[in-house]
Amino acid sequence: QVQLVESGGGLVQAGDSLRLSCAASGLTFSSYGMGWFRQAPGKEREFVAAITQRGLSTYYADPVKGRFTISRDNAKNLVYLQMNSVKPEDTAVYYCAADSTFSRLRVGVPAYWGQGTQVAVSS
């Protein structure tokens, strides 16, 4: 059974940094592209960032480019989202996602989702 468990969310102030982690189990981690999505209150879930299976390529949504960094540790089955210079508009539930076909991850239809971790940014 595949499980993705996010951690690291919380309440921070604008301009602060935060690192989210996602622990994966039940899958061959190095064979899966990994991504982060977010859903703000009253809005649809949106793509944030993704990283290919070996970590050679990364992709970001325009609102987070230059502020967020996705990375992975295939030895530990972990994927991270380093969030710097956070803004109130970054407030959302952040979800980890996985798919062995990277294109499905990029278009927001991954095979597996985590339960999410709440990030709240105060101004």
Side-chain angles (χ1 to χ4, degrees):
Q1 180 182 358
V2 175
Q3 282 193 313
L4 303 176
V5 180
E6 303 94 336
S7 61
L11 175 62
V12 295
Q13 293 188 331
D16 285 352
S17 295
L18 195 65
R19 189 176 80 158
L20 305 183
S21 300
C22 172
S25 61
L27 74 172
T28 304
F29 186 71
S30 59
S31 296
Y32 281 74
M34 300 297 297
W36 289 95
F37 293 75
R38 66 186 182 186
Q39 187 167 19
K43 296 187 177 181
E44 293 188 353
R45 194 174 324 196
E46 63 177 6
F47 170 79
V48 175
I51 187 167
T52 53
Q53 283 82 337
R54 291 192 292 165
L56 297 180
S57 296
T58 56
Y59 302 85
Y60 297 93
D62 285 344
V64 308
K65 280 181 182 177
R67 299 188 298 121
F68 291 9
T69 302
I70 187 171
S71 61
R72 65 189 295 160
D73 185 337
N74 283 357
K76 297 181 178 179
N77 286 15
L78 290 169
V79 61
Y80 304 101
L81 185 68
Q82 178 67 42
M83 304 167 63
N84 297 332
S85 303
V86 295
K87 304 175 180 179
E89 50 263 45
D90 294 322
T91 294
V93 177
Y94 283 72
Y95 296 91
C96 178
D99 202 297
S100 57
T101 300
F102 193 74
S103 59
R104 287 203 294 261
L105 188 67
R106 288 285 284 117
V107 299
V109 290
Y112 303 107
W113 292 98
Q115 292 299 306
T117 186
Q118 175 72 54
V119 172
V121 183
S122 63
S123 57

